[in-house]
Amino acid sequence: MPVMASLPATLVELSLSCRNLHDMDTFSKSDPMCVFFIKEFGQQNYREIGRTEIIWNNLNPDFVKKFPVHYFFEERQHLKFQVYDVDSKSHDLSKHDFLGEMECTLGEIVSSGTFKKNLTGKDIRKGSIIVNSEELSSCKEEITMQFSAKKLDKKDFFGKSDPFLVFYRCNEDGSFTVTHKTEVIKSNLNPTWRPFTVQVRALCNGDYDRSIKIECYDWDSDGGHDLIGIFQTNLRELTRGKGANNVYECINPKKQAKKSKYKNSGTVSLESCRVEVVHSFLDYIKGGTEMQCTIAVDFTASNGDPRQPTSLHYMSPYQPNQYAMALRAVGEIIQDYDSDKLFPALGFGARLPPDGRISHEFFLVSIPIPFDS
């Protein structure tokens, strides 16, 4: 099959986690990042698709960054995941410590739901990667929320807690996948976090009744964050807005099991919630939006002598010049969205007859086509 892109595809989202990674740092834990590669149909080499965020001082990271991938049942889609301990700001992967890699197919992942495999590589003897997959809905909504907390437990011996929230989506198999983390607020038992926006699709895959788990942690610089408490809700409840129904008790399971009079480890309240539809380009086109293209060509001397092959205006007998190729490439796409199929084309920076005056706005054809300037 020469054109696989024409086949019907399902969009799935991949969520990544690692467990028991090798510790490459002497005085702290590794700072892992995962790099995602795909081997395109008919190709021999892998192409990098993207990288997760860096999670500092953590040998068991749950990455927030997700990767949407088109799944073709008829095609064997090869994937590769490489994990690195980040040592600098360099984009060059060779500058970071290699923690292992894993190769598989997308079919293996989607058929497993939760796919786990050991990392391999030279001198790599430990560590595994977990890949969760879920078919994405067509939900186009995004939600903006803000939370605050009161009377959180004091977890630090010499100071107050440094709290932050972690949001988890419930997967179809009952497991949870991290979708968002708030900022850390230092030394505050009554914090108010900044508003944040997340796609509804990422938070609950468009299912307003699906459980959302929220954990409150006390941040520690060594990566061993202390759990303050946990609670669960759903998007339908959150969209009711600020009120008594959206004040949640943070429950620490260990404390609850040990203390008979334990009540909670503080409360977390929803301060605001707003859901908005994010319209796609196709929505605008279906709604009647048209695109109009006006072309401007630079005739100044900066382009060189048009009689020389080095000039962008050079008219080669063998192929169009770069201007012509660019105009054709753009015009062939835009013409489908332009009802009158007319493209005003102007130039600037040339001496025009009969008197040779420099003009910075002139039509490229002798009979100008009227257009709304």
Side-chain angles (χ1 to χ4, degrees):
M1 294 184 182
V3 183
M4 296 302 294
S6 62
L7 295 172
T10 299
L11 188 64
V12 298
E13 182 182 73
L14 303 182
S15 303
L16 309 179
S17 301
C18 293
R19 294 293 180 265
N20 197 30
L21 293 176
H22 186 62
D23 193 355
M24 303 294 290
D25 296 339
T26 304
F27 299 106
S28 63
K29 299 174 184 176
S30 294
D31 307 315
M33 169 189 71
C34 187
V35 187
F36 175 43
F37 301 85
I38 288 181
K39 185 186 292 185
E40 304 288 358
F41 177 76
Q43 301 297 315
Q44 297 298 318
N45 299 319
Y46 282 98
R47 177 172 65 90
E48 181 179 331
I49 299 300
R51 305 180 181 188
T52 67
E53 75 279 13
I54 303 166
I55 298 186
W56 306 102
N57 296 315
N58 198 322
L59 303 180
N60 300 285
D62 295 311
F63 298 103
V64 174
K65 171 78 173 182
K66 314 297 180 190
F67 295 102
V69 182
H70 286 288
Y71 166 63
F72 299 93
F73 174 77
E74 300 85 352
E75 180 182 341
R76 188 171 172 83
Q77 297 169 266
H78 294 273
L79 313 180
K80 180 168 68 174
F81 303 88
Q82 292 184 339
V83 184
Y84 291 86
D85 172 26
V86 177
D87 292 323
S88 68
K89 294 182 179 180
S90 175
H91 193 74
D92 184 356
L93 293 176
S94 65
K95 303 296 184 183
H96 309 294
D97 294 325
F98 181 64
L99 297 179
E101 67 179 16
M102 184 271 285
E103 295 188 40
C104 64
T105 65
L106 186 55
E108 288 180 279
I109 294 174
V110 299
S111 63
S112 301
T114 298
F115 181 78
K116 183 176 181 179
K117 196 172 181 179
N118 289 335
L119 295 170
T120 61
K122 185 179 180 180
D123 299 326
I124 302 299
R125 300 182 181 86
K126 62 187 302 186
S128 60
I129 186 167
I130 302 169
V131 186
N132 280 286
S133 66
E134 183 170 355
E135 181 179 350
L136 287 178
S137 71
S138 58
C139 178
K140 298 177 181 179
E141 297 173 331
E142 65 178 21
I143 184 169
T144 300
M145 298 182 288
Q146 184 177 25
F147 287 85
S148 65
K150 290 183 178 179
K151 298 181 179 179
L152 295 177
D153 281 355
K154 178 177 175 291
K155 307 294 287 188
D156 295 339
F157 188 75
F158 293 108
K160 299 177 182 179
S161 295
D162 307 317
F164 68 96
L165 299 177
V166 183
F167 292 75
Y168 296 86
R169 179 184 69 203
C170 183
N171 300 317
E172 293 175 334
D173 62 359
S175 61
F176 286 90
T177 300
V178 62
T179 60
H180 180 77
K181 296 179 181 179
T182 68
E183 76 280 10
V184 176
I185 297 183
K186 294 291 189 74
S187 301
N188 196 327
L189 302 181
N190 300 286
T192 298
W193 290 278
R194 291 195 300 265
F196 64 90
T197 300
V198 63
Q199 290 184 337
V200 169
R201 190 172 65 182
L203 197 60
C204 61
N205 206 16
D207 181 357
Y208 275 47
D209 296 310
R210 183 183 294 204
S211 292
I212 300 170
K213 182 172 71 172
I214 303 174
E215 296 179 342
C216 184
Y217 284 93
D218 170 37
W219 178 85
D220 287 327
S221 59
D222 62 0
H225 311 308
D226 299 317
L227 178 67
I228 294 176
I230 305 172
F231 62 93
Q232 291 193 25
T233 183
N234 58 55
L235 195 54
R236 192 172 304 282
E237 197 69 30
L238 292 171
T239 53
R240 294 179 181 177
K242 183 177 181 178
N245 57 303
N246 275 315
V247 177
Y248 301 93
E249 290 187 339
C250 257
I251 302 299
N252 188 307
K254 290 184 178 180
K255 281 192 171 184
Q256 190 178 45
K258 291 180 180 179
K259 299 179 180 179
S260 59
K261 295 184 179 181
Y262 174 81
K263 185 178 180 182
N264 60 54
S265 295
T267 60
V268 175
S269 302
L270 176 70
E271 293 296 322
S272 62
C273 177
R274 184 179 71 254
V275 177
E276 296 179 322
V277 176
V278 181
H279 294 288
S280 67
F281 174 73
L282 189 58
D283 289 331
Y284 284 103
I285 295 299
K286 288 182 176 180
T289 299
E290 291 190 6
M291 299 180 67
Q292 296 179 338
C293 180
T294 301
I295 297 163
V297 179
D298 181 5
F299 281 86
T300 62
S302 61
N303 282 316
D305 189 339
R307 295 167 295 185
Q308 300 298 321
T310 55
S311 171
L312 295 177
H313 289 277
Y314 178 66
M315 301 298 290
S316 169
Y318 306 107
Q319 64 180 13
N321 59 35
Q322 294 184 47
Y323 271 121
M325 289 189 290
L327 292 175
R328 177 175 296 176
V330 174
E332 286 179 346
I333 299 298
I334 294 181
Q335 67 177 349
D336 292 336
Y337 307 96
D338 192 326
S339 59
D340 62 16
K341 301 294 189 289
L342 297 177
F343 298 85
L346 299 94
F348 64 94
R351 296 183 182 275
L352 302 183
D355 54 5
R357 290 185 180 181
I358 296 177
S359 174
H360 292 293
E361 185 180 14
F362 58 90
F363 283 93
L364 300 184
V365 293
S366 57
I367 303 176
I369 300 173
F371 73 102
D372 186 2
S373 59

